[in-house]
Amino acid sequence: MSHAVAVRHNFETAHRLPEIGGKCVNLHGHSWWCRIEVSAPRIPDGTVVEFGAFKKRMRTWIDDHLDHGAMLGAADPLVAPLREQHCKVFRFGAGPDAAEAESLARDLHWPTVENVAVLLGRVAADAVRELPGAAGATVVRVDVAETQVNSALWRPDDPYDGEIPA
């Protein structure tokens, strides 16, 4: 038997995907929704993860780094002019100059909905490792919707251990 909890959050963020072509080459925004599920095989103290702390950690990270900003690939020529205008920009695929938060997406080159799900899974895995909870608790599922009809699901094959593939 296993036990699971989930948190949901929404955020408003722009992105663009010039490598895909079509409409998504334009900077555009979405009302994103995410649902992050954490599971544990046993819960001796009655909890998978301390719910309040996990929810606060996820919501704070999303609000600080993504909400009311723009998610762009590090190679996107819009990064510099937006930052010059003091806009919040989160870069996917940023190199050695990446901020700590951006380093979680250094191997994810563009802000596709699939890559946003991976990113939030990594944020959640870091939180689960650092917060009180059941032994063996892991992130098992991240759902991210960029619109009411377009979404992505990420389930880790292997638990995220803090190391990002080179």
Side-chain angles (χ1 to χ4, degrees):
M1 176 183 293
S2 66
H3 305 269
V5 296
V7 297
R8 285 176 38 107
H9 191 49
N10 68 303
F11 53 103
E12 309 297 323
T13 302
H15 74 150
R16 79 181 205 114
L17 304 168
E19 81 293 0
I20 289 178
K23 295 190 295 187
C24 291
V25 302
N26 296 301
L27 185 62
H28 61 285
H30 294 292
S31 294
W32 302 74
W33 277 93
C34 64
R35 180 182 180 278
I36 300 135
E37 184 176 329
V38 177
S39 178
R42 291 184 307 285
I43 52 171
D45 70 350
T47 61
V48 173
V49 66
E50 202 289 295
F51 218 135
F54 182 60
K55 181 171 55 175
K56 181 178 181 181
R57 177 89 169 261
M58 292 307 302
R59 291 178 174 176
T60 298
W61 195 96
I62 290 167
D63 291 350
D64 287 352
H65 300 289
L66 303 180
D67 188 46
H68 283 77
M71 297 183 297
L72 300 172
D76 195 313
L78 292 182
V79 169
L82 287 173
R83 285 193 164 173
E84 287 170 11
Q85 294 301 311
H86 307 289
C87 293
K88 183 193 296 187
V89 176
F90 186 94
R91 298 174 303 155
F92 281 66
D97 67 329
E100 183 178 343
E102 290 177 333
S103 70
L104 291 170
R106 72 175 172 258
D107 63 323
L108 310 170
H109 297 287
W110 295 97
T112 62
V113 66
E114 297 91 341
N115 283 344
V116 174
V118 173
L119 170 65
L120 294 179
R122 290 173 178 174
V123 173
D126 285 348
V128 168
R129 270 196 309 281
E130 296 170 6
L131 295 172
T138 59
V139 177
V140 294
R141 180 182 176 123
V142 177
D143 294 284
V144 176
E146 64 179 2
T147 70
Q148 291 184 0
V149 296
N150 297 333
S151 64
L153 164 66
W154 178 72
R155 286 188 212 131
D157 293 329
D158 297 310
Y160 170 66
D161 62 5
E163 292 299 316
I164 297 170

